[in-house]
């Protein structure tokens, strides 16, 4: 049976922004694996660090995402990738006149993925990249002679001030032009003072500018078919290119990376809250299907799709809480610093209190050891950064959102049988406990750079670290017992009692 999506992309040119990011490289890989008869992909890339875009492309092709691709294709497949020097943060996307003319003449599908994802960023950079960057892409789209569709990668959290959201555009509290004019006329200090009034119920400048960008897309929907896809927190791969693949340290894979090292020992989450995680390959497959879908139907109004799990396959940490430490010890790291022991806590103040004992104090000791042995201290900086970001992230850690996605589910069911397999984004099929087994392995392989062949040695070290951890705890709580016995003037017979009480109290943190 033919694949309608594959047939659509045959002999077509795609213009892709954000192609060097986590989602971007996954989009490139999927196109080259599942639509190899594509004519080409124009990759908007910034020359940087003294490297041309051609040199950056060579580096890109070495990304771990392409391992599966190169098992079935020769490296010649990368000739489909056409780097063009530019930047979404510059006028006309920083494109030369010659590159503009080629892109305008040839491009059939635009996928706009570039954005600044920094929740701490101020208004000026987020407006320039997220809002003006989108306007610049859309301006280029209006000049394209053979454009079939434009897919804008947004975020489910553009409406995070609502705990329940549907697949539609919600009104903005400010106009794009007003915000752009303010950025053009005010200095940074004035913008920082004005920001809370502009944001209103938005938690940060990221969600605010991404929502404004959606309305810019809507302004052009009558000119060419447009789709807005709103992924939630994008996590490691469900199936493609291989289960667990990731190069992103955001979200659960970042926690797992630190936990597997033994340096992250507490995780602040509401174990019974629904967390909206979405695997990267589900986002990729849906985005590519949308390029085909809106072009085929010739829509002249913007179509919005939630690429989310909260209402179709909700995830709660409760479902894996009893297994996470088992996963960490089944797939341990040879480079682990301490014995992994991850515990979930339900509030920030409990996390901060326990973090003093299980993160900060050990970090001070280990950084001191690294310093005197010629290493580079890093743990205290890591935990300080986490500590500083917690208040900004509290809303995202302890808020439950419901993102309804009937349009996405309808789209998934409308695919041909072959496309349902080839471009699967039906998240209802995912089994979360199994997914986290693969994610743990993916974090080990791709974030901690440890090959499967090192697993036996890692398991031996894990056993050694367990013994060291037990001995260390006995010594520490024995010391606590001795100090308390001395402090209260008790006889030595109370030594173990105080030590035991200290251990029980500590275990509550």
């Amino acid at each position: 049976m033919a694949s309608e999506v594959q047939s659509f992309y045959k002999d077509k040119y795609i213009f892709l922004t954000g192609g060097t990011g986590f989602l971007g490289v996954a989009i490139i890989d999927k196109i080259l694996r599942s639509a190899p008869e594509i004519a080409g992909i124009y990759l908007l890339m910034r020359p940087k660090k003294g490297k041309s875009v051609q040199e950056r492309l060579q580096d890109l092709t070495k990304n771990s995402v392409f391992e599966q691709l190169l098992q079935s294709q020769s490296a010649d497949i990368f000739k489909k990738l056409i780097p063009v020097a530019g930047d979404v943060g510059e006028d006309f996307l920083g494109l030369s006149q010659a590159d503009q003319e080629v892109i305008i003449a040839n491009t059939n599908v635009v996928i706009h993925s570039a954005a600044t994802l920094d929740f701490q960023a101020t208004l000026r950079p987020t407006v320039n990249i997220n809002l003006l960057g989108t306007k610049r892409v859309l301006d280029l789209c209006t000049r394209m002679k053979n454009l079939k569709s434009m897919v804008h990668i947004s975020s489910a959290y553009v409406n995070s001030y609502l705990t329940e959201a549907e697949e539609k555009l919600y009104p903005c509290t400010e106009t794009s032009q007003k915000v752009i004019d303010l950025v053009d006329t005010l200095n940074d200090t004035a913008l920082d003072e004005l920001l809370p009034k502009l944001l209103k119920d938005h938690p940060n400048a990221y969600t605010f500018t991404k929502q404004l960008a959606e309305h810019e897309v809507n302004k052009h929907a009558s000119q060419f078919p447009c789709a807005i896809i709103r992924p939630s927190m994008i996590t490691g791969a469900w199936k493609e290119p291989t289960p667990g693949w990731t190069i992103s340290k955001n979200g659960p894979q970042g926690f797992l990376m630190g936990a597997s090292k033994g340096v992250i020992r507490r995780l602040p989450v509401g174990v019974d809250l629904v967390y909206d995680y979405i695997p990267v390959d589900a986002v990729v497959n849906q985005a590519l299907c949308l390029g085909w879908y809106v072009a085929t139907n010739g829509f002249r109004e913007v179509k919005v799709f939630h690429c989310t799990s909260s209402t179709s396959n909700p995830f709660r940490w409760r479902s894996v809480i009893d297994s996470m430490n088992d996963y960490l010890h089944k797939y341990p790291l040879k480079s682990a610093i301490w014995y992994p022991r991850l515990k979930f806590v339900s509030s920030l103040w409990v996390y901060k209190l326990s973090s003093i004992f299980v993160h900060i104090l050990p970090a001070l000791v280990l950084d001191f050891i690294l310093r005197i042995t010629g290493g580079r201290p890093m743990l205290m900086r890591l935990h300080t950064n986490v500590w500083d970001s917690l208040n900004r992230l509290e809303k995202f850690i302890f808020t439950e959102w419901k993102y309804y996605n009937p349009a996405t589910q309808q789209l998934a069911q409308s695919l041909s049988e072959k496309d349902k397999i080839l471009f699967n984004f039906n998240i209802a099929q995912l089994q979360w406990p199994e997914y986290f087994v693969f994610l743990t392995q993916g974090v080990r392989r791709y974030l901690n750079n440890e090959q499967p062949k090192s697993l036996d040695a890692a398991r031996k070290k894990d056993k050694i670290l367990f013994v060291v951890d037990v001995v260390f705890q006995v010594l520490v709580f024995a010391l606590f017992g001795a100090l308390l016995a001395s402090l209260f003037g008790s006889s030595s017979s109370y030594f173990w009692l105080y030590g035991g009480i200290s251990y029980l109290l500590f275990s509550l943190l």
Side-chain angles (χ1 to χ4, degrees), residues 266-270 345-355 386-398:
R266 295 294 183 273
L267 184 60
V269 295
V345 293
S346 59
S347 71
L348 278 189
W349 77 265
V350 173
Y351 171 81
K352 290 183 175 181
L353 180 61
S354 62
S355 188
V386 171
W387 189 287
D388 291 342
S389 67
L390 283 175
N391 289 332
R392 290 189 300 273
L393 296 175
E394 183 174 11
K395 177 180 178 67
F396 294 92
I397 296 173
F398 295 108

Side-chain angles (χ1 to χ4, degrees), residues 56 77 80 96 102 108 113 138-139 142 186 201 204 214 253 273 285 320 343 357 423 427 467 475 499:
R56 290 198 67 199
I77 191 70
K80 303 274 187 178
S96 69
V102 171
N108 307 114
S113 176
L138 290 165
D139 288 343
T142 61
L186 299 180
D201 293 329
N204 51 48
E214 287 192 353
Q253 52 259 33
L273 293 178
N285 287 337
V320 296
K343 184 177 179 179
F357 297 98
F423 295 94
I427 201 68
V467 174
L475 292 175

Side-chain angles (χ1 to χ4, degrees), residues 255-262 264 328 331 333 336-338 340 443 448:
F255 296 136
L256 288 175
M257 182 182 181
S260 59
K261 286 279 191 181
I264 298 295
L328 294 174
Y331 306 103
L333 296 181
I337 297 172
W338 202 258
V443 167
N448 287 303

Side-chain angles (χ1 to χ4, degrees), residues 18-280:
T20 59
F22 176 41
L23 179 60
V25 294
I27 291 173
I28 295 169
D29 168 70
K30 178 62 177 182
I31 294 171
L32 296 181
R33 277 190 298 109
S34 299
E37 292 183 303
I38 190 97
I41 306 173
Y42 295 111
L43 297 177
L44 185 71
M45 303 176 75
R46 286 179 298 167
K48 65 177 185 178
K49 296 181 181 178
K51 289 186 176 182
S52 66
V53 291
Q54 287 76 18
E55 291 172 314
R56 290 198 67 199
L57 178 62
Q58 289 300 313
D59 292 340
L60 180 72
T61 60
K62 299 172 185 175
N63 193 292
S64 59
V65 74
F66 300 118
E67 289 177 357
Q68 295 298 314
L69 169 69
L70 293 175
Q71 290 181 12
S72 58
Q73 298 272 4
S74 74
D76 288 343
I77 191 70
F78 293 128
K79 293 178 180 178
K80 303 274 187 178
L81 306 181
I82 308 165
V84 288
D87 187 341
V88 295
E90 297 180 8
D91 290 341
F92 302 105
L93 300 176
L95 292 168
S96 69
Q97 187 63 39
D99 283 339
Q100 287 184 54
E101 290 175 1
V102 171
I103 292 167
I104 289 168
N106 295 333
T107 299
N108 307 114
V109 178
V110 171
I111 302 177
H112 177 41
S113 176
T116 175
L117 305 177
D118 187 358
F119 282 11
Q120 304 176 50
T122 56
L123 190 61
R124 192 179 305 279
T126 51
V127 165
N128 187 40
I129 302 300
N130 295 345
L131 175 53
L132 285 172
T134 301
K135 281 177 64 68
R136 293 167 186 138
V137 170
L138 290 165
D139 288 343
L140 187 65
C141 288
T142 61
R143 299 161 60 197
M144 292 177 180
K145 302 182 186 306
N146 298 292
L147 183 62
K148 304 299 182 185
S149 60
M150 188 271 184
V151 179
H152 173 67
I153 312 291
S154 185
S155 169
Y157 299 105
V158 298
N159 302 306
S160 57
Y161 53 87
L162 301 171
T163 55
E164 298 187 22
E166 298 176 357
E167 293 165 303
K168 66 178 184 180
L169 285 177
Y170 287 87
C172 295
T173 55
E174 303 290 350
T175 66
S176 295
Q177 194 57 52
K178 176 184 175 181
V179 174
I180 292 168
D181 289 343
L182 288 170
V183 169
D184 285 342
T185 56
L186 299 180
N187 60 33
D188 289 343
T189 301
L191 280 177
D192 289 343
E193 292 175 354
L194 183 62
L195 184 59
K197 295 180 181 178
L198 290 174
L199 295 184
K200 294 184 172 61
D201 293 329
H202 278 278
N204 51 48
Y206 166 76
T207 65
F208 177 64
T209 54
K210 289 291 282 184
Q211 186 187 50
L212 290 171
E214 287 192 353
H215 284 262
E216 290 303 309
V217 176
N218 185 48
K219 291 176 184 177
H220 291 80
S222 62
Q223 297 172 272
F224 43 80
C226 297
I228 294 174
I229 177 173
R230 292 176 180 159
S232 52
M233 169 60 74
I234 303 178
T235 57
W238 171 21
K239 295 181 179 180
E240 300 177 84
T242 188
W245 173 82
T246 182
I247 56 171
S248 169
K249 298 176 184 178
N250 294 328
Q253 52 259 33
F255 296 136
L256 288 175
M257 182 182 181
S260 59
K261 286 279 191 181
V263 298
I264 298 295
R265 308 181 70 79
R266 295 294 183 273
L267 184 60
V269 295
V271 294
D272 292 311
L273 293 178
V274 172
Y275 285 81
D276 204 313
Y277 297 143
I278 192 74
V280 62

